[in-house]
């Protein structure tokens, strides 16, 4: 398979996805009904230049993470996703690796939750997809790469966050994350990327190493989160962790109790939307 074939496939799949279907604005003059290159780049979290070079056959050997992101942005079926990996010169992920595939039905569900902050993570707590409301609430993650997209890595290495924990909440949260990661590692012992994450976490965080060596078990539970937002103020929201049967994905869904100030602030955030994602 050549990069020319890869480029042709990307253009063909890009042409069939409408901006409205992908949750993007549909106004203005458009020469084609499908996605523009810059829109595909935005959805996949990569540069427009890289999309252009891939389509023109001037870039070869994209990483598995980039291919996975392109497959999600293009809403590929399982067979199409596997074909995209092969076109990129990669072996499609097998059952021994942590799943990262969003089915079309799950994607349609997310499309309906436009006013609710929803993020999709894999079983290792790597953020795969965030809808605009999630990005507006928690900050735009589209520029994050590699382990920077992993929630365990970010929490144990001191990455900036808008979530505020009490000391007890932080202890419980850290214990839950390590327990969840341990259970995932037991299900996917041959996933080399997962093993590298654990190794580097143990080397980078004494707290992670302490909890890992203590053998904590369990899983990350739904909880209430206090979020300090730079534009709408402090919100206390329910964060439900919904597990998708058959795919080992996690949906992180943030909601507010109706009639509260938190609900009003969340509604304000929906009005402001993506204008403040970088705030």
């Amino acid at each position: 398979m050549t990069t020319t074939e890869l480029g042709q496939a990307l253009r063909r799949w890009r042409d069939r996805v409408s901006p409205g279907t992908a949750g993007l604005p549909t106004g203005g003059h458009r020469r084609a009904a499908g996605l523009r290159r810059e829109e595909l780049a935005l959805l996949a979290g990569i540069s427009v230049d890289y999309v252009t070079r891939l389509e023109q056959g001037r870039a070869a050997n994209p990483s598995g993470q980039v291919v996975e992101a392109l497959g999600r942005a293009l809403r590929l079926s399982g067979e199409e996703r596997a074909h995209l990996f092969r076109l990129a010169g990669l072996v499609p992920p097998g059952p021994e690796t942590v799943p990262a595939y969003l089915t079309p039905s799950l994607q349609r569900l997310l499309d309906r939750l436009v006013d609710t902050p929803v993020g999709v993570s894999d079983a290792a707590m790597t953020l795969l997809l965030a809808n605009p409301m999630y990005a507006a609430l928690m900050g735009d993650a589209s520029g994050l790469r590699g382990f920077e997209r992993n929630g365990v890595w970010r929490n144990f290495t001191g990455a900036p966050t808008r979530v505020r924990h009490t000391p007890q909440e932080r202890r419980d949260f850290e214990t839950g994350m390590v327990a969840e990661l341990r259970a995932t590692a037991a299900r996917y012992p041959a996933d080399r990327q997962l093993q590298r994450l654990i190794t580097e976490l143990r080397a980078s965080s004494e707290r992670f190493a302490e909890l890992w060596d203590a053998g904590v078990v369990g899983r990350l539970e739904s909880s209430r989160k206090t979020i300090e937002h730079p534009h709408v103020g402090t919100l206390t929201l329910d964060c439900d962790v919904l597990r998708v049967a058959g795919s080992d994905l996690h949906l992180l869904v943030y909601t507010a109790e109706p009639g509260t100030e938190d609900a009003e602030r969340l509604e304000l955030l929906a009005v402001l939307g993506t204008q403040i994602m970088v705030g």
Side-chain angles (χ1 to χ4, degrees):
M1 295 297 183
T2 68
T3 52
T4 300
E5 290 175 287
L6 173 61
Q8 290 173 346
L10 289 174
R11 288 193 297 273
R12 183 171 64 251
W13 286 325
R14 176 164 61 83
D15 287 342
R16 77 179 188 186
V17 180
S18 70
T21 300
L24 297 172
T26 57
H29 175 71
R30 305 182 69 91
R31 290 184 297 175
L35 295 175
R36 298 182 175 118
R37 281 177 178 160
E38 56 266 29
E39 291 170 333
L40 175 58
L42 174 67
L43 291 169
I46 60 180
S47 72
V48 180
D49 177 67
Y50 193 49
V51 171
T52 301
R53 288 188 289 120
L54 283 172
E55 290 193 353
Q56 294 179 349
R58 295 186 290 112
N61 308 117
S63 69
Q65 190 176 42
V66 166
V67 173
E68 196 76 75
L70 285 167
R72 284 193 295 271
L74 293 166
R75 297 167 178 246
L76 302 185
S77 69
E79 290 183 359
E80 290 169 337
R81 170 177 170 267
H83 185 55
L84 177 60
F85 269 91
R86 288 191 287 267
L87 287 174
L90 300 171
V91 177
E96 73 282 357
T97 60
V98 176
Y101 174 56
L102 273 68
T103 63
S105 61
L106 178 57
Q107 190 74 63
R108 288 193 297 272
L109 173 63
L110 295 174
D111 292 339
R112 292 179 176 274
L113 299 175
V114 291
D115 293 328
T116 302
V118 182
V120 183
S121 296
D122 66 17
M125 286 161 284
T126 296
L127 185 66
L128 303 176
L129 182 70
N131 71 359
M133 272 293 287
Y134 184 98
L137 176 68
M138 304 302 289
D140 185 13
S142 62
L144 301 180
R145 298 289 181 270
F147 289 161
E148 291 178 342
R149 297 187 68 86
N150 182 268
V152 190
W153 178 267
R154 292 181 63 78
N155 275 277
F156 281 95
T157 58
T161 177
R162 293 176 179 175
V163 178
R164 299 293 177 258
H165 290 115
T166 66
Q168 184 60 52
E169 287 172 343
R170 171 154 291 282
R171 285 192 292 270
D172 292 343
F173 185 54
E174 289 175 342
T175 300
M177 293 195 99
V178 174
E180 186 86 45
L181 195 64
R182 177 181 295 282
T184 299
R187 293 197 301 277
Y188 304 98
D191 190 314
R192 288 182 291 180
Q193 182 73 358
L194 175 57
Q195 294 304 319
R196 188 166 73 88
L197 170 66
I198 293 167
T199 298
E200 296 202 16
L201 272 168
R202 292 190 63 181
S204 302
S205 168
E206 291 184 8
R207 175 61 174 159
F208 177 87
E210 173 192 345
L211 288 170
W212 187 267
D213 292 342
V216 294
V217 295
R219 64 180 190 174
L220 196 62
E221 300 291 347
S222 299
S223 61
R224 287 178 68 77
K225 300 283 189 185
T226 299
I227 299 159
E228 288 188 5
H229 195 279
H231 296 280
V232 302
T234 302
L235 307 90
T236 300
L237 305 174
D238 289 312
C239 176
D240 287 294
V241 182
L242 309 180
R243 298 163 198 276
V244 184
S247 67
D248 220 358
L249 299 180
H250 299 167
L251 268 62
L252 307 176
V253 184
Y254 287 84
T255 58
E257 185 178 346
T260 62
E261 289 186 4
D262 297 311
E264 292 176 0
R265 292 188 175 118
L266 200 57
E267 289 174 3
L268 176 59
L269 191 62
V271 173
L272 296 175
T274 57
Q275 301 172 31
I276 59 172
M277 283 198 305
V278 186

